[in-house]
Amino acid sequence: MRKDIGGAAVELVRGDITRQEVDAIVNAANSGLRGGGGVDGAIHRAGGPAIMEECRRIGGCPTGSAVITTGGNLPARRVIHAVGPRWSGGSRGEAELLSGAYRSSLQVAVDNGLRSVAFPSISTGVYSYPIEEAAGVALSTVAEFLGQNPGCFEVVRFVLFTAADYDVYAAALERVTAH
Ligand code: ADP
């Protein structure tokens, strides 16, 4: 699925984020940038040790924001490490923190002249954020940023791991672009 927002193609695909040939892929990182399971583990495995070396030098990243490293051996040149919130019921600012993780990632991309980025579904794995809500936050945040920064991106792609996740994001993208 593909929609034009602010001159950028917002794409949804099913697949593995480590295989994406874009300027930057986004990692669903933890605030210590220590690596982990899920998409984080897959990115470090595929990208090699140069990514972790740079993460150690950076030291950490607050929840709701993002930092950038090399892409190591990945097809993508850079990795943007975004830290989404752990879900704890929804009344602890989770939506604003998740929105911040997407917004910061896009800002870091703009600051580094990166025009194609691929996101995973941040926080909806180990961090347990309900995916219907997370997809709405992700796509409305991206749409708002693209509207405010026209011409900055060619492609913003969401790479969903399962068919069920893809369907949830597709419904959310329809909603966000309906008006
Ligand atoms: P978080 O800790 O932010 O919840 P996870 O890595 O546990 O992050 O999960 C985030 C999402 O990434 C989940 O939907 C998971 O299915 C998905 N995922 C796991 N591996 C990959 C991959 N290689 N490519 C794309 N998405 C992936």
Side-chain angles (χ1 to χ4, degrees):
M1 184 173 175
R2 187 186 169 115
K3 299 270 186 188
D4 183 282
I5 303 178
V10 176
E11 298 178 350
L12 307 183
V13 302
R14 243 194 98 182
D16 179 346
I17 199 160
T18 65
R19 314 285 279 269
Q20 304 301 308
E21 297 184 5
V22 285
D23 292 338
I25 64 170
V26 178
N27 182 16
N30 53 60
S31 58
L33 303 176
R34 289 180 306 271
V39 75
D40 200 349
I43 288 171
H44 285 288
R45 271 195 305 279
I51 300 174
M52 185 52 77
E53 272 165 37
E54 222 178 317
C55 283
R56 280 207 199 91
R57 240 177 286 135
I58 294 167
C61 174
T63 303
S65 67
V67 296
I68 190 166
T69 67
T70 176
N73 302 326
L74 293 167
R77 278 196 286 138
R78 311 293 295 273
V79 176
I80 295 170
H81 303 264
V83 183
R86 238 177 247 282
W87 180 257
S88 43
S91 58
R92 299 208 172 168
E94 289 95 329
E96 193 40 51
L97 290 167
L98 185 60
S99 182
Y102 283 99
R103 210 165 29 242
S104 299
S105 298
L106 293 169
Q107 189 60 54
V108 165
V110 170
D111 293 346
N112 286 273
L114 306 170
R115 295 177 53 79
S116 57
V117 295
F119 283 98
S121 179
I122 297 171
S123 285
T124 65
V126 171
Y127 281 4
S128 305
Y129 205 118
I131 191 161
E132 283 80 7
E133 294 175 39
V137 170
L139 288 165
S140 56
T141 301
V142 166
E144 185 181 34
F145 190 96
L146 294 176
Q148 290 168 348
N149 297 270
C152 286
F153 288 95
E154 283 158 21
V155 176
V156 177
R157 183 179 300 158
F158 284 84
V159 182
L160 291 321
F161 213 42
T162 67
D165 290 356
Y166 179 93
D167 290 345
V168 171
Y169 271 73
L173 183 55
E174 290 289 3
R175 277 199 306 278
V176 164
T177 53
H179 42 82

